[in-house]
Amino acid sequence: MNIDIEAALADGGGLLWVRRARRLHSSIARAVARGELERVMRGCYARAGTVTQRVRCVALQIADPDAVFVGETAAWLLDPSGRREPGRVEVATRRLRLATPHLRTVERRIDPDHIGQVDGLNVTGPTLTALDLARTRGGAPLDDALRAGIPLSRLWRTLLATAGRRGNARLRRLLHDSRDEPWSPAEREAHRLLRRAGITGWTANAAVALPGRIVRPDIAFAGILLAIELDGFEFHGGRAQFEADRTRDVDLALAGWVVYRFSASDVFARPREFIERVSALVELRSLALAA
């Protein structure tokens, strides 16, 4: 590769901006034709084979220091180990207008209170990101946020701070549906079924103090020491989690609790049977304690 282009790439941290190297315009064109350079975005190139979504994010942030990554891109930047790289970078910017298979810009003002940084990149914070994802994906991102420790009250405050956005009515319904703070889609559906059936006396993911630790049953009838666990494969499919669940069941039993486990498919595919069984378990447990 041309030595001047090599130097320009080194100076730009792996990125070559045409506007900063106008004298290299012809050399850049030849390097692109030879397959030595790859386009990152309009006016920006990198060494062929090095362009990733993170590189595109860095280039976008340089092009517009006020740009903020949103949606799936923000979620991935906030937690790259738990998510796949997004197929398309989505960024809120008032300065850039780009639409390629790899990039999408949107014009949107984001309150600075809801913006954080990850490795020098501006991203929507976890709360606003969860709400943004819920606009298209339903309650699951809210379940993830609640499980991560984001209070339901904070989700409500953030929604109220973004008044006027399209889809807010749906988000209000989803947050109302989250009033018992589900941590998974199975829990969310179980809460709906329990409320619809008029079954009371339960709380979701409430802290139960055991010797040396705190556990949080999915659904706890604390008054009768009855715990209902909902096992979805996504969260309970590994050997380590399987063993941890059984150890926790024993610890709860030693503290006087009775634990019953249902699969997520019991909730979604057989809702009537699920409610009938929970109702029967509550009645049997109440009778046993009263005897």
Side-chain angles (χ1 to χ4, degrees):
M1 187 183 298
N2 181 293
I3 190 170
D4 292 328
I5 290 180
E6 293 276 11
L9 285 168
D11 289 343
L15 296 174
L16 192 163
W17 296 90
V18 174
R19 69 176 184 271
R20 299 176 185 174
R22 295 190 183 280
R23 64 184 182 82
L24 298 177
H25 189 275
S26 297
S27 298
I28 292 171
R30 288 193 292 270
V32 171
R34 290 194 297 267
E36 297 172 345
L37 289 178
E38 181 178 349
R39 181 175 174 176
V40 179
M41 54 180 282
R42 187 172 58 224
C44 181
Y45 294 87
R47 193 183 303 275
T50 67
V51 180
T52 64
Q53 295 296 60
R54 185 170 291 274
V55 169
R56 292 188 175 97
C57 289
V58 171
L60 281 163
Q61 195 73 85
I62 293 172
D64 180 4
D66 296 324
V68 181
F69 296 97
V70 299
E72 297 287 353
T73 306
W76 169 66
L77 290 170
L78 287 164
D79 182 21
S81 64
R83 298 178 184 272
R84 287 187 296 179
E85 182 180 275
R88 201 177 194 187
V89 171
E90 186 174 8
V91 62
T93 171
R94 295 187 171 188
R95 186 178 303 175
L96 304 175
R97 293 292 178 272
L98 300 171
T100 75
H102 303 292
L103 304 173
R104 175 174 177 262
T105 60
V106 295
E107 185 174 353
R108 173 183 169 193
R109 184 190 178 280
I110 299 172
D111 191 306
D113 289 342
H114 300 137
I115 298 174
Q117 277 209 339
V118 177
D119 298 329
L121 302 174
N122 298 331
V123 299
T124 50
T127 307
L128 181 56
T129 299
L131 290 171
D132 283 347
L133 295 182
R135 293 177 187 278
T136 56
R137 289 172 44 191
L142 303 180
D143 302 339
D144 293 341
L146 292 167
R147 188 172 63 254
I150 295 175
L152 182 62
S153 58
R154 188 186 302 169
L155 288 163
W156 271 112
R157 286 197 303 271
T158 302
L159 176 60
L160 294 174
T162 57
R165 289 196 65 200
R166 181 178 297 179
N168 277 6
R170 184 189 187 207
L171 285 181
R172 286 194 292 272
R173 290 192 295 271
L174 285 170
L175 287 180
H176 181 67
D177 191 46
S178 304
R179 58 192 177 275
D180 292 303
E181 303 199 18
W183 286 6
S184 71
E187 288 184 35
R188 179 177 292 273
E189 183 62 19
H191 297 175
R192 290 174 182 150
L193 295 173
L194 290 168
R195 291 193 295 260
R196 193 177 304 152
I199 298 176
T200 60
W202 56 274
T203 54
N205 303 300
V208 175
L210 298 178
R213 64 174 176 147
I214 300 291
V215 300
R216 296 179 179 274
D218 292 342
I219 298 171
F221 293 85
I224 55 176
L225 300 182
L226 171 65
I228 303 296
E229 296 288 352
L230 305 173
D231 294 347
F233 184 80
E234 179 179 357
F235 299 111
H236 300 269
R239 175 181 293 275
Q241 188 60 54
F242 178 89
E243 294 176 353
D245 288 344
R246 271 64 196 171
T247 299
R248 190 175 75 157
D249 290 355
V250 172
D251 289 344
L252 282 166
L254 290 172
W257 287 73
V258 173
V259 182
Y260 292 96
R261 289 189 172 273
F262 291 85
S263 69
S265 61
D266 288 325
V267 176
F268 289 111
R270 296 174 288 278
R272 180 182 298 177
E273 289 87 343
F274 170 74
I275 286 298
E276 288 174 350
R277 290 173 179 175
V278 170
S279 180
L281 291 171
V282 170
E283 183 177 359
L284 288 172
R285 181 62 173 163
S286 299
L287 291 172
L289 292 178

